[in-house]
Amino acid sequence: MNTEKRKLRTVIVDDEPLARRTIRDLLAIDPDIEVSGECSTGLEAVTLMREQPPDLLFLDIQMPGMNGFEVLAQVEFERIPGIIFVTAFDQYAVKAFEVHALDYLMKPFTDQRFNEALQKAKSSIDLKEINRLSQSLLTLLGKREATEPSAAKPFLKRFMIRSGGRVGFIKADTVDWIAADDYYIQLRISGRAHLLRMSMNELEEKLDPKQFLRIHRSTIINLDRVKELHQDPNGEYVVVLKDATELKLSRNRRERLERFLTTGE
């Protein structure tokens, strides 16, 4: 039986040839790594990840045409590998970790710092397998919760949230409201925010319309959390939730909300 450990397929994305070569030479020292591709543009990276997703990605942030964050926004969630951002600009650090980067290398970096990042990535790379198993569990839980087998389509019952090396589940009905956040959404629960990579349009289609309503292009509310509806001094309508959160209501979405508040439908 072949017990040889599979090498981690690794892709390097950087518009600078010297930067790619430096990373490639450092990776060549590690017997567990196989450099399966190099890309000089964001578009090349998107195409490669869609066709053959790697296990690990060294991704430059500031590139002409399409930056590193825009690359990730173009790739389906399940195809995004472990990410180590490489950049000469430290202002991107916070956002890098918001998209669950394994590490963040500042140019120029030392061999020791690079090796630390690589070892951290190798120890965390099995998170993809955890995600796969968790998604299977999520599907199973959804099937067990289905109480209307004749329904036309099942609605989202739980959200899967990644945090560090853990995967957690949040019941949809515990979410107070949802806000758009660039290429992500924020699930707001009791004053806390959980970041999830999904578009508002995609999410809206998956939520039960009897429980969730989009009141603005960037806001979805849990209808059970609505306390009242009023006008501000400028004549704009505002939705007030039970925790006193105030959210702007679009004029073209007011009728649907008013109908629910008066009839429950």
Coordinates of all heavy atoms in Angstrom, one line a residue, residues 5 16-17 34 42 44 51-52 58 63 66 78 84 105 144 150 161 171 175 184 213 215 222 238 242 256-257:
K5 N 3.0 10.6 1.6 CA 2.2 11.8 1.8 C 2.1 12.6 0.6 O 3.1 12.9 -0.1 CB 2.8 12.6 3.0 CG 2.0 13.9 3.3 CD 2.7 14.6 4.4 CE 1.9 15.9 4.8 NZ 2.6 16.6 5.9
E16 N 5.6 40.6 -10.0 CA 7.0 40.8 -10.1 C 7.8 39.5 -10.3 O 7.7 38.6 -9.4 CB 7.5 41.5 -8.9 CG 6.9 42.9 -8.6 CD 7.4 43.6 -7.4 OE1 8.3 42.9 -6.7 OE2 7.0 44.7 -7.1
P17 N 8.5 39.3 -11.4 CA 9.2 38.0 -11.6 C 10.2 37.7 -10.5 O 10.3 36.5 -10.1 CB 9.9 38.3 -13.0 CG 9.1 39.3 -13.6 CD 8.6 40.2 -12.5
E34 N 4.8 21.3 -3.6 CA 4.9 21.2 -5.1 C 4.4 22.4 -5.7 O 3.2 22.7 -5.5 CB 4.1 20.0 -5.6 CG 4.1 19.9 -7.1 CD 3.1 18.9 -7.6 OE1 2.7 18.0 -6.9 OE2 2.7 19.0 -8.8
G42 N -3.9 38.9 -11.8 CA -5.0 38.4 -11.0 C -5.9 37.5 -11.9 O -6.5 36.5 -11.4
E44 N -5.1 35.6 -14.4 CA -4.5 34.3 -14.5 C -4.8 33.4 -13.3 O -5.1 32.2 -13.4 CB -3.0 34.4 -14.8 CG -2.6 35.0 -16.1 CD -1.1 35.1 -16.2 OE1 -0.4 34.7 -15.3 OE2 -0.6 35.6 -17.2
E51 N -9.9 26.2 -12.5 CA -9.7 24.9 -13.3 C -9.0 23.9 -12.4 O -9.4 22.7 -12.5 CB -8.8 25.2 -14.5 CG -9.5 26.1 -15.5 CD -8.5 26.4 -16.7 OE1 -7.3 26.1 -16.6 OE2 -9.0 27.0 -17.7
Q52 N -8.1 24.3 -11.5 CA -7.4 23.3 -10.7 C -7.0 24.0 -9.4 O -5.9 24.5 -9.2 CB -6.1 22.8 -11.4 CG -5.5 21.6 -10.7 CD -4.4 21.0 -11.5 OE1 -4.0 21.6 -12.6 NE2 -3.8 19.9 -11.1
F58 N 0.2 31.7 -2.4 CA 1.0 32.9 -2.1 C 0.5 34.0 -3.0 O 0.7 33.9 -4.2 CB 2.5 32.6 -2.2 CG 3.1 31.8 -1.1 CD1 3.0 30.4 -1.2 CD2 3.6 32.4 0.0 CE1 3.6 29.6 -0.2 CE2 4.2 31.6 1.0 CZ 4.2 30.2 0.9
M63 N -1.7 44.4 -7.3 CA -1.3 44.1 -8.7 C -2.1 44.9 -9.6 O -3.2 45.3 -9.3 CB -1.5 42.6 -8.9 CG -0.7 41.6 -8.1 SD -1.0 39.9 -8.5 CE -2.8 39.7 -7.9
M66 N -6.2 43.7 -11.3 CA -7.0 43.1 -10.3 C -6.2 42.7 -9.1 O -5.2 42.0 -9.2 CB -7.6 41.7 -10.9 CG -8.5 41.0 -10.0 SD -9.1 39.4 -10.7 CE -10.0 39.9 -12.1
E78 N -15.6 27.4 -2.3 CA -15.0 26.0 -2.1 C -13.7 25.8 -2.8 O -13.0 24.9 -2.6 CB -16.0 24.9 -2.5 CG -16.4 24.9 -3.9 CD -17.6 25.8 -4.2 OE1 -18.0 26.6 -3.3 OE2 -18.1 25.7 -5.3
I84 N -1.6 32.8 1.9 CA -0.6 33.6 2.6 C -0.4 34.9 1.7 O 0.0 34.8 0.5 CB 0.8 32.9 2.7 CG1 0.6 31.7 3.6 CG2 1.8 33.8 3.2 CD1 1.9 30.9 3.8
L105 N 2.8 38.2 4.8 CA 4.2 38.5 4.7 C 4.5 39.9 4.2 O 4.0 40.2 3.1 CB 4.9 37.4 3.8 CG 5.0 36.0 4.4 CD1 5.6 35.1 3.3 CD2 5.9 36.0 5.6
R144 N -32.4 16.8 8.3 CA -33.1 16.4 9.5 C -34.1 17.4 10.0 O -35.1 17.1 10.6 CB -32.0 16.1 10.6 CG -31.2 14.9 10.4 CD -30.2 14.7 11.5 NE -30.9 14.5 12.8 CZ -30.3 14.3 14.0 NH1 -29.0 14.4 14.0 NH2 -31.0 14.1 15.1
S150 N -42.7 18.4 1.1 CA -43.3 18.8 -0.2 C -43.0 20.2 -0.6 O -43.5 20.6 -1.7 CB -44.9 18.6 -0.1 OG -45.4 19.4 0.9
I161 N -19.6 29.1 9.7 CA -18.6 30.2 10.0 C -17.3 29.6 10.3 O -17.1 28.7 11.2 CB -19.1 31.0 11.2 CG1 -20.5 31.6 10.9 CG2 -18.2 32.2 11.4 CD1 -20.6 32.5 9.7
K171 N -27.5 29.2 13.7 CA -28.9 29.0 13.2 C -29.3 30.3 12.6 O -29.1 31.4 13.1 CB -29.8 28.6 14.4 CG -29.7 27.1 14.7 CD -30.8 26.7 15.7 CE -30.8 25.2 15.9 NZ -31.9 24.8 16.8
V175 N -30.2 35.1 13.8 CA -29.6 36.3 13.2 C -30.6 37.5 13.3 O -31.7 37.4 12.9 CB -29.2 36.1 11.7 CG1 -28.7 37.4 11.1 CG2 -28.2 35.0 11.6
Y184 N -18.4 40.7 1.0 CA -18.9 39.8 2.1 C -20.2 40.3 2.6 O -20.7 41.3 2.2 CB -17.8 39.7 3.2 CG -16.5 39.3 2.7 CD1 -15.6 40.2 2.1 CD2 -16.1 38.0 2.8 CE1 -14.3 39.8 1.6 CE2 -14.8 37.5 2.3 CZ -14.0 38.5 1.7 OH -12.8 38.0 1.3
L213 N -36.5 39.7 5.3 CA -36.9 40.6 4.3 C -35.7 41.6 4.0 O -35.1 42.1 4.9 CB -38.1 41.4 4.7 CG -38.6 42.5 3.8 CD1 -39.1 41.9 2.5 CD2 -39.6 43.4 4.4
I215 N -34.7 45.0 3.2 CA -35.3 46.4 3.3 C -34.5 47.4 2.6 O -34.9 48.6 2.5 CB -35.5 46.7 4.8 CG1 -34.2 46.8 5.5 CG2 -36.4 45.8 5.5 CD1 -34.3 47.5 6.9
N222 N -34.3 40.2 10.1 CA -35.1 39.1 10.6 C -36.4 39.7 11.0 O -36.5 40.5 11.9 CB -34.4 38.4 11.8 CG -35.2 37.2 12.3 OD1 -36.4 37.1 12.1 ND2 -34.5 36.3 13.0
V238 N -37.5 54.4 8.7 CA -36.5 53.7 9.5 C -37.1 52.5 10.2 O -38.2 52.7 10.8 CB -35.8 54.6 10.5 CG1 -34.8 53.9 11.4 CG2 -35.1 55.8 9.9
K242 N -35.8 45.3 17.9 CA -36.1 45.1 19.4 C -34.9 45.5 20.2 O -35.1 45.9 21.4 CB -36.5 43.7 19.7 CG -37.9 43.4 19.1 CD -38.3 41.9 19.4 CE -39.6 41.6 18.7 NZ -40.1 40.2 18.9
R256 N -44.0 46.0 1.4 CA -43.9 44.6 1.9 C -43.7 44.5 3.4 O -44.3 43.7 4.0 CB -42.7 43.9 1.2 CG -42.2 42.6 1.8 CD -43.2 41.5 1.4 NE -42.7 40.2 1.9 CZ -42.9 39.7 3.1 NH1 -43.6 40.4 4.0 NH2 -42.4 38.5 3.5
L257 N -42.9 45.4 3.9 CA -42.7 45.4 5.4 C -44.0 45.8 6.1 O -44.4 45.2 7.1 CB -41.6 46.3 5.8 CG -41.2 46.4 7.3 CD1 -40.9 45.1 7.8 CD2 -40.1 47.4 7.5

